[in-house]
Amino acid sequence: MSDNTIGRFFEYLNWLFNPFHGLKTAEVYDLIGTTSLTENALYLNLGYWRDVDTIDEASEALALLVAKRGGMGAGDTVLDCGYGFGDQDILWMRIMNPEKIIGLNITRSQVERARMNVAEAGLEKSIDLREGSATEMPIDNESIDLVVSVESAFHYRTRDDFFREAFRVLRPGGRLVTADILPMEDSDNLFRRLEQWISWNMVAGKFNIPQENYYLIPSYRDKLSTAGFADIDITSIRDDVYTPLHEYLSGDRTFVGKLPPLAKMLAQLSFNRSADSVYAGLDYILSYAEKP
């Protein structure tokens, strides 16, 4: 085993089991690297599982759900915040055909790989992937038609700042769409509340979700409204995300083989529990809002 492999093993060990050791968002994704659920791309999203059979199909379905909810189409300038390895941008350009996609991402290793993927697809003239923050966007006022954020807004410090920046860069009539993870409302049952607390805090602690972003759908709606947005629509789609994902991974454990030993052990333990328990504290929303 090389020194690099040993070092990575102990990084995973520290991240998974040390409650006092937190990583910044970029450090989390540097550590995860290209360990993706998907087989044919490098999607990092959990997927939208209605009418699909594989993780690759579900990951694309989620990206397309976001794009279609935002009315992405010809003539649009799109801003993608937290674009991962750029797979969704390539998909959107080929299927939705916007005029231009600009991306912002703070994880340099992802930026470099995503730019390579875009270049290999021959789309570098229409997809401009940048290193930059969604809470301090290096984007001109009223220059964007659609802002999207797929499974990344929960990281932003804070989501409120992201909403304000999105409002600033959108043209009048522009749209904001997020696929986002929130905590669930507390159950009346004490045991269930404990399950929810463990589930949420495991995810929030390891994936660097700031406490300022711990709130439910009504507060999410209020914060969008405070930022200036109107025609707000927020729908929970958790039933089409967590349970079918859990069932798929429990039945086909190819992904588990890609993980370091300790992460593999934890994943296998989670498969022995129900999805209802593993994801007890996690909501998953599709959010839409417009700038008047």
Side-chain angles (χ1 to χ4, degrees):
M1 185 180 291
S2 69
D3 289 344
N4 184 56
T5 302
I6 294 171
R8 193 171 179 82
F9 172 83
F10 282 106
E11 282 184 61
Y12 262 100
L13 175 67
N14 202 23
W15 179 55
L16 289 171
F17 291 103
N18 183 352
F20 304 105
H21 178 67
L23 294 177
K24 296 179 180 178
T25 300
E27 292 172 337
V28 170
Y29 287 103
D30 279 336
L31 183 59
I32 293 172
T34 56
T35 306
S36 170
L37 291 171
T38 51
E39 292 295 318
N40 301 314
L42 290 173
Y43 284 102
L44 296 174
N45 73 59
L46 302 178
Y48 181 69
W49 289 84
R50 185 174 294 183
D51 301 323
V52 300
D53 298 314
T54 70
I55 184 64
D56 290 81
E57 293 171 340
S59 295
E60 288 195 353
L62 180 65
L64 290 174
L65 180 70
V66 168
K68 291 174 181 177
R69 185 65 185 92
M72 187 186 299
D76 280 339
T77 298
V78 178
L79 177 61
D80 181 14
C81 297
Y83 53 78
F85 293 107
D87 293 284
Q88 61 204 24
D89 304 294
I90 294 169
L91 179 72
W92 292 334
M93 189 57 67
R94 288 175 170 168
I95 293 180
M96 309 305 292
N97 196 34
E99 181 72 22
K100 183 176 184 179
I101 298 176
I102 301 169
L104 295 177
N105 192 323
I106 63 169
T107 305
R108 182 167 297 177
S109 59
Q110 290 186 344
V111 174
E112 293 170 353
R113 178 62 179 267
R115 286 173 175 168
M116 288 174 53
N117 292 343
V118 167
E120 288 174 2
L123 294 171
E124 62 269 35
K125 291 183 179 179
S126 52
I127 300 177
D128 175 12
L129 300 183
R130 306 175 186 177
E131 185 176 349
S133 171
T135 59
E136 295 181 57
M137 299 178 183
I139 304 293
D140 292 338
N141 293 348
E142 299 188 352
S143 60
I144 302 295
D145 299 294
L146 172 63
V147 175
V148 294
S149 179
V150 180
E151 283 185 30
S152 57
F154 51 83
H155 287 306
Y156 303 154
R157 196 176 295 273
T158 64
R159 200 188 275 121
D160 303 56
D161 294 322
F162 165 61
F163 290 159
R164 284 192 290 269
E165 279 289 85
F167 190 85
R168 176 183 66 81
V169 304
L170 282 169
R171 298 185 177 106
R175 297 89 67 199
L176 168 65
V177 179
T178 65
D180 209 349
I181 295 174
L182 304 180
M184 290 290 290
E185 184 176 2
D186 285 344
S187 170
D188 293 332
N189 180 279
L190 179 61
F191 177 74
R192 181 63 172 175
R193 280 206 307 276
L194 178 60
E195 271 194 323
Q196 290 176 324
W197 185 88
I198 293 171
S199 171
W200 172 257
N201 282 280
M202 281 288 291
V203 171
K206 292 308 169 188
F207 285 91
N208 193 35
I209 301 179
Q211 287 196 354
E212 298 93 327
N213 292 344
Y214 290 19
Y215 46 79
L216 308 179
I217 288 175
S219 294
Y220 202 100
R221 183 179 291 107
D222 290 344
K223 289 174 183 294
L224 282 167
S225 181
T226 298
F229 287 99
D231 296 320
I232 299 165
D233 178 67
I234 304 173
T235 304
S236 175
I237 59 170
R238 72 185 306 272
D239 290 343
D240 288 311
V241 177
Y242 298 125
T243 297
L245 171 67
H246 189 79
E247 291 174 352
Y248 176 82
L249 293 178
S250 297
D252 180 358
R253 304 194 181 186
T254 304
F255 169 71
V256 178
K258 302 178 184 178
L259 298 174
L262 289 170
K264 184 184 299 184
M265 179 186 70
L266 289 179
Q268 290 170 335
L269 288 173
S270 74
F271 294 147
N272 295 328
R273 298 166 55 204
S274 70
D276 185 56
S277 175
V278 172
Y279 301 101
L282 305 178
D283 204 350
Y284 195 110
I285 64 164
L286 181 69
S287 169
Y288 173 90
E290 293 182 7
K291 178 174 179 175

